[in-house]
Amino acid sequence: MKKFLSRKRRFLTILLALTGIAIALAYAFCLGACNYLKGDILGIDLKYLGIFYMVIVLLLAWSRKPVLCLLLLAFGAGGEIFLIGYQVHSGVYCPYCLAFGATILLALAVNFERNRKALAALAAAAGLLFFLLFFSGSATPVYAAEPVMPAFGRGAVEVRLYTDYFCGPCSAEEAEVISLISELVGKNLIRVLFIDTPVHRETVLFAGYFLAALNAKNDFPQVVAAREALFEAAGKKITEKEALELFLKKKGIPLQPFDTAPVFKIFGNYIKEDRIRSTPSCVILGPQGKQTLTGKDEIEKGLRGLRK
């Protein structure tokens, strides 16, 4: 009976470790939507630490090291208590983070032994203290410094589109969403604001060049061309300033650099006002009030509804 329970515990721990790895990978590649909630330990992103952590749990379970596995899971549970508290305090919740935390807590429950509860409690306290001392995080996308956002269309309904050039779902929806927005702007049904959201670090550079392109030629076709080129550059992993500028010039995108800090300030204000936590997001302000849509399918459906 004891052997059977041990095998069952080992199997469940391995299964939960694999689940945790899958969750961390989904977060790393922002499948479905890219969440801004971010954190690191000593400069190492929690997503990658999470994958490493779950690999160690898997190896310990596989090699039949129950005590070490219990201590590592208890340590992780202490860290998760801190991280859940951080999300509650910030008022921002990441489904990936919560799912990962639930996986750790479930694995701890599977491996918990009453005769080692004091040891587990000490490991959990150590995990909590470790995160308290070394965790660094942010819950809101921020730019930096005010004047007018580039806006297009004269419709009564305002649409604010929040995207990130390095966000996979944003790239996947771009062609269809731009087609819908072009139609709605052409019929004067909406006024649209394109707000670059720095979920990924490289987006700040790209946002600057987007604004430089608009400063050179501030019309809707230029927006479409610039966004298409920038998404393509992101897909090609062009992240150096000189290489990006050369790429845009080859694409025929005129550029006129200027001090973007005031516009970035407006971007930041909109992001805070609309409580944007992931990309792609779309805020629609119309006669029926304010509507916040996230994810490709939801945004496309919402924009199609504005045709009526």
Side-chain angles (χ1 to χ4, degrees):
M1 184 65 178
K2 193 174 179 180
K3 272 192 172 182
F4 171 76
L5 288 174
S6 179
R7 281 200 303 269
K8 188 176 179 182
R9 174 182 291 175
R10 181 167 165 259
F11 171 76
L12 287 173
T13 303
I14 290 171
L15 185 63
L16 287 166
L18 289 171
T19 302
I21 292 168
I23 292 169
L25 285 171
Y27 187 26
F29 292 101
C30 56
L31 302 179
C34 291
N35 286 275
Y36 185 76
L37 189 69
K38 292 184 181 298
D40 64 74
I41 295 289
L42 301 174
I44 304 173
D45 195 300
L46 282 185
K47 295 191 293 290
Y48 307 114
L49 281 176
I51 294 169
F52 176 75
Y53 171 87
M54 282 300 188
V55 167
I56 298 301
V57 169
L58 189 152
L59 291 174
L60 288 174
W62 186 270
S63 57
R64 294 182 175 86
K65 305 287 184 184
V67 178
L68 289 176
C69 194
L70 172 64
L71 290 175
L72 186 59
L73 288 168
F75 183 90
E80 284 302 326
I81 290 169
F82 173 86
L83 293 173
I84 291 169
Y86 178 80
Q87 291 181 67
V88 172
H89 176 74
S90 303
V92 182
Y93 300 92
C94 168
Y96 295 111
C97 308
L98 294 173
F100 188 85
T103 305
I104 291 177
L105 294 173
L106 280 171
L108 176 61
V110 167
N111 287 270
F112 184 74
E113 296 178 20
R114 281 190 177 182
N115 62 335
R116 293 197 172 101
K117 62 182 179 182
L119 204 58
L122 283 172
L128 180 61
L129 181 62
F130 180 79
F131 273 74
L132 188 63
L133 291 174
F134 299 111
F135 174 79
S136 175
S138 56
T140 306
V142 176
Y143 267 106
E146 215 166 43
V148 182
M149 268 289 301
F152 302 90
R154 300 174 185 173
V157 176
E158 182 169 302
V159 173
R160 301 172 188 167
L161 184 66
Y162 294 90
T163 54
D164 179 295
Y165 298 108
F166 290 84
C167 161
C170 298
S171 180
E173 74 158 17
E174 178 69 6
E176 181 63 25
V177 167
I178 284 294
S179 176
L180 287 166
I181 286 176
S182 298
E183 178 188 339
L184 295 167
V185 167
K187 293 179 179 178
N188 283 325
L189 293 174
I190 65 168
R191 175 179 179 269
V192 63
L193 293 171
F194 294 95
I195 303 173
D196 292 329
T197 312
V199 171
H200 295 83
R201 190 176 301 170
E202 299 87 352
T203 293
V204 177
L205 173 66
F206 278 55
Y209 277 103
F210 173 67
L211 294 173
L214 293 185
N215 193 43
K217 189 178 180 184
N218 195 357
D219 60 24
F220 193 73
Q222 175 77 340
V223 169
V224 176
R227 283 175 64 88
E228 182 181 351
L230 287 166
F231 270 111
E232 185 180 342
K236 292 176 181 290
K237 302 292 190 294
I238 299 172
T239 57
E240 297 298 324
K241 182 179 177 182
E242 294 76 12
L244 179 59
E245 191 168 325
L246 181 62
F247 179 83
L248 292 173
K249 285 181 177 177
K250 285 181 178 178
K251 288 286 181 179
I253 308 293
L255 300 170
Q256 188 174 335
F258 69 107
D259 180 11
T260 56
V263 183
F264 281 177
K265 176 65 175 176
I266 291 176
F267 279 8
N269 289 341
Y270 276 118
I271 288 167
K272 289 177 183 176
E273 177 188 332
D274 292 333
R275 298 177 66 84
I276 300 302
R277 303 293 182 245
S278 65
T279 55
S281 290
C282 179
V283 173
I284 298 174
L285 298 97
Q288 296 179 346
K290 187 174 183 178
Q291 193 180 8
T292 301
L293 309 171
T294 58
K296 180 178 183 291
D297 295 338
E298 203 173 290
I299 291 171
E300 290 178 9
K301 183 180 178 183
L303 291 173
R304 288 191 191 99
L306 297 177
R307 288 167 165 170
K308 301 173 184 177

